[in-house]
């Protein structure tokens, strides 16, 4: 039987389809204690875990937690090892800030992970955080985590690009940026004030790659988080065939 399968497959070794990577919701909520009414700090988490892949679950949790390191005073880049530890650090910083400015509104941090796309045994998880520590507005951040289900590992832009093709990727990104500028009806002065920067935060969809920038990266805060889109046809010869499958 195996011999017949090999013949039908063009003499290629047969291998079973990868086991589907199932995801479960993880929800946590923390509220600061012993704080002024209406000004208590809060931490909300809506994340994911993969029951069949604990290593990937830890990788996702750590990636989200890293988006919360140094988010207030910026004095520490140490990443918390758990949500409980992160919440306690956040609450301590909120309390210290209120001692300096008693009328300060309540600190707020929100973390969310969701499956953004799934095709060709690739799962892209979108990680979002939003942190408010006073001022006119909070700060949103977005990162993509791309999982190759066949290998059960997280892959980066460098893993997906062909060797030596980073300059070609940058050129494709530049063309996508020009299309975005045209859509925004942004002139030369805008482009000069907010130049394009290299970005490895990519989500490989079946028909296009989406490259997400965070606030202030290439545009003012009012523009949100710009997302440049590169058609897969423009990535042929630049990206390994595995990551252009549909």
């Amino acid at each position: 039987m195996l011999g017949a399968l090999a013949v039908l497959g063009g003499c290629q070794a047969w291998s079973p389809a990868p086991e589907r990577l199932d995801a479960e919701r993880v929800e946590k909520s923390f509220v600061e204690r012993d704080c002024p009414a209406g000004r208590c700090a809060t931490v909300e988490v809506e994340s994911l875990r993969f029951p069949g892949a604990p290593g990937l679950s830890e990788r996702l949790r750590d990636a989200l937690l890293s988006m919360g390191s140094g988010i207030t005073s910026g004095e520490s880049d140490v990443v918390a090892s758990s949500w409980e530890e992160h919440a306690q650090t956040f609450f301590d910083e909120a309390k210290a800030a209120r001692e300096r400015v008693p009328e300060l509104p309540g600190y707020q941090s929100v973390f969310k992970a969701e499956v953004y796309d799934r095709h060709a045994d690739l799962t892209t998880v979108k990680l979002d955080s939003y942190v408010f520590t006073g001022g006119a507005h909070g700060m949103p951040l977005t990162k993509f985590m791309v999982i190759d289900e066949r290998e059960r590992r997280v892959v980066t832009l460098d893993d997906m690009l062909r060797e030596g093709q980073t300059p070609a990727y940058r050129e494709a990104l530049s063309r996508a940026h020009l299309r975005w500028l045209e859509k925004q009806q942004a002139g030369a002065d805008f482009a000069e004030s907010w130049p394009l920067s290299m970005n490895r935060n990519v989500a490989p969809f079946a028909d296009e790659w989406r490259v997400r920038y965070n606030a202030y990266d290439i545009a003012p805060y009012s523009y949100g988080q710009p997302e440049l889109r590169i058609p897969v046809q423009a990535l042929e010869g630049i990206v390994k065939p595995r990551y252009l499958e549909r």
Side-chain angles (χ1 to χ4, degrees):
M1 180 63 179
L2 288 178
L5 287 171
V7 172
L8 290 173
C11 297
Q12 295 179 353
W14 176 81
S15 60
E19 182 181 352
R20 182 177 175 83
L21 188 65
D22 292 324
E24 294 180 350
R25 301 296 309 172
V26 175
E27 297 184 358
K28 293 180 178 291
S29 180
F30 305 90
V31 180
E32 182 186 9
R33 296 180 179 179
D34 302 322
C35 47
R39 296 206 296 276
C40 295
T42 60
V43 176
E44 299 290 337
V45 181
E46 295 182 18
S47 188
L48 298 172
R49 63 181 292 271
F50 307 107
L56 290 176
S57 297
E58 292 178 7
R59 180 77 177 266
L60 190 156
R61 181 203 62 198
D62 291 348
L64 264 184
L65 282 166
S66 72
M67 296 167 71
S69 63
I71 50 181
T72 52
S73 62
E75 296 175 354
S76 174
D77 291 328
V78 177
V79 178
S81 60
S82 67
W83 289 113
E84 289 75 12
E85 181 181 337
H86 166 78
Q88 187 57 58
T89 299
F90 192 61
F91 296 160
D92 290 345
E93 294 185 358
K95 181 178 180 180
R98 282 199 308 273
E99 290 175 352
R100 297 189 297 269
V101 184
E103 66 275 14
L104 194 70
Y107 276 21
Q108 179 186 19
S109 64
V110 180
F111 299 87
K112 185 175 182 179
E114 61 181 331
V115 174
Y116 193 46
D117 181 69
R118 195 170 219 164
H119 76 282
D121 301 324
L122 288 177
T123 294
T124 299
V125 180
K126 183 162 70 79
L127 310 177
D128 290 305
S129 69
Y130 176 82
V131 178
F132 174 76
T133 56
H137 53 71
M139 178 61 66
L141 290 175
T142 297
K143 293 182 179 180
F144 296 129
M145 182 172 135
V146 183
I147 302 172
D148 188 329
E149 295 191 31
R150 297 176 189 173
E151 301 181 8
R152 278 296 200 270
R153 72 183 182 102
V154 175
V155 292
T156 65
L157 175 65
D158 287 338
D159 294 321
M160 293 186 281
L161 291 180
R162 290 175 180 265
E163 185 175 356
Q165 290 301 309
T166 300
Y169 165 77
R170 288 176 178 153
E171 179 59 31
L173 184 64
S174 179
R175 291 194 294 270
H177 182 231
L178 290 175
R179 291 192 295 271
W180 181 82
L181 288 172
E182 183 178 356
K183 184 176 181 180
Q184 304 301 317
Q185 297 182 335
D189 291 343
F190 182 99
E192 183 176 350
S193 300
W194 297 94
L196 180 68
S197 57
M198 176 62 172
N199 192 327
R200 299 175 180 274
N201 190 33
V202 301
F205 278 63
D207 57 346
E208 65 184 6
W209 276 26
R210 301 182 183 183
V211 186
R212 178 73 65 92
Y213 285 82
N214 286 308
Y216 297 118
D217 282 348
I218 60 172
Y221 185 89
S222 59
Y223 281 73
Q225 296 171 275
E227 191 170 80
L228 308 186
R229 302 193 175 193
I230 307 175
V232 293
Q233 294 84 353
L235 294 169
E236 293 178 358
I238 299 174
V239 174
K240 295 173 183 176
R242 163 72 184 102
Y243 303 105
L244 295 178
E245 294 179 16
R246 300 191 181 190

